[in-house]
Amino acid sequence: MNRTTARRATIIHGYAATPNDHWFAWLADEFEAIGVSTNVPELPDPAQPNADRWAETVASTLESVDHDTILVAHSLGCVTTLRYLADLHGDWTLGTLILVAGFLEPLPALPELDAFIADGLEVSALAAHIDRIVVLRSDADPYVPVEHTDRLAARLGVQAHLVAGAGHFLASDGIVELPEALHPVRCVR
């Protein structure tokens, strides 16, 4: 039996970013090239983010998830995406979750983002609803301590994958393409 899928991806940018920054547009183009419809929503006021407004934008953009849904998030976008998933009720499944430089703890370098995580966020139960989880981290991230991303990965029941020398996965770090985020999607059709 041939299964025709309508795979779709959403890429959630992080703090002080836009959909056209860093590797987001490259990844969207690569997904489209392999038949994955892709959306990169613009989150409101990225330089002065509001957790509720970001959550509303992600929820209205996604509406629902299923086996054919791919979510990719970067940095603060990871927190917002995980909060969206944690708020889902009932029996749901997500096909692929790719978190890049994710965290769930206060960042010493960016205390202005503490409001996003002030009330805590329990994510360990999410793994049971997600077919494939990939967590990417650098060994030289000036904003998100590697231990933060490693602990997030452990809470999701996976091990973080190292992308050596990637900094915070920004264009200023030389990261304008991110094949490590494309590979898990390309491998599953």
Side-chain angles (χ1 to χ4, degrees):
M1 174 178 178
N2 286 338
R3 179 173 173 236
T4 302
T5 64
R7 293 193 309 159
R8 63 208 170 283
T10 301
I11 301 169
I12 306 297
H13 68 74
Y15 176 56
T18 72
N20 296 315
D21 290 337
H22 316 307
W23 43 268
F24 311 136
W26 174 85
L27 185 60
D29 289 345
E30 292 294 315
F31 281 166
E32 292 282 348
I34 61 170
V36 177
S37 174
T38 305
N39 182 22
V40 189
E42 186 162 358
L43 300 176
D45 300 317
Q48 296 179 327
N50 175 283
D52 292 333
R53 290 187 61 215
W54 275 34
E56 289 168 10
T57 301
V58 169
S60 67
T61 298
L62 294 173
E63 294 180 16
S64 66
V65 298
D66 61 27
H67 287 287
D68 292 321
T69 305
I70 301 155
L71 295 180
V72 180
H74 176 245
S75 191
L76 189 60
C78 295
V79 177
T80 303
T81 300
L82 290 167
R83 188 169 305 284
Y84 164 79
L85 294 172
D87 286 344
L88 292 177
H89 299 287
D91 187 24
W92 61 272
T93 299
L94 173 66
T96 302
L97 176 64
I98 301 170
L99 302 174
V100 181
F103 63 95
L104 290 175
E105 302 169 55
L107 301 177
L110 296 168
E112 62 269 28
L113 303 183
D114 287 356
F116 271 76
I117 53 174
D119 59 350
L121 179 58
E122 180 50 50
V123 299
S124 57
L126 296 180
H129 295 275
I130 304 171
D131 294 339
R132 192 173 316 92
I133 300 172
V134 176
V135 177
L136 302 175
R137 73 160 174 85
S138 173
D139 54 357
D141 192 323
Y143 302 109
V144 178
V146 296
E147 300 82 13
H148 284 32
T149 305
D150 286 345
R151 282 192 288 272
L152 168 60
R155 289 173 66 184
L156 292 169
V158 299
Q159 186 172 17
H161 298 277
L162 172 66
V163 181
H168 191 58
F169 297 88
L170 305 175
S172 60
D173 297 319
I175 307 300
V176 294
E177 297 180 0
L178 190 56
E180 295 84 356
L182 176 62
H183 181 72
V185 174
R186 183 176 274 157
C187 291
V188 177
R189 301 239 175 182

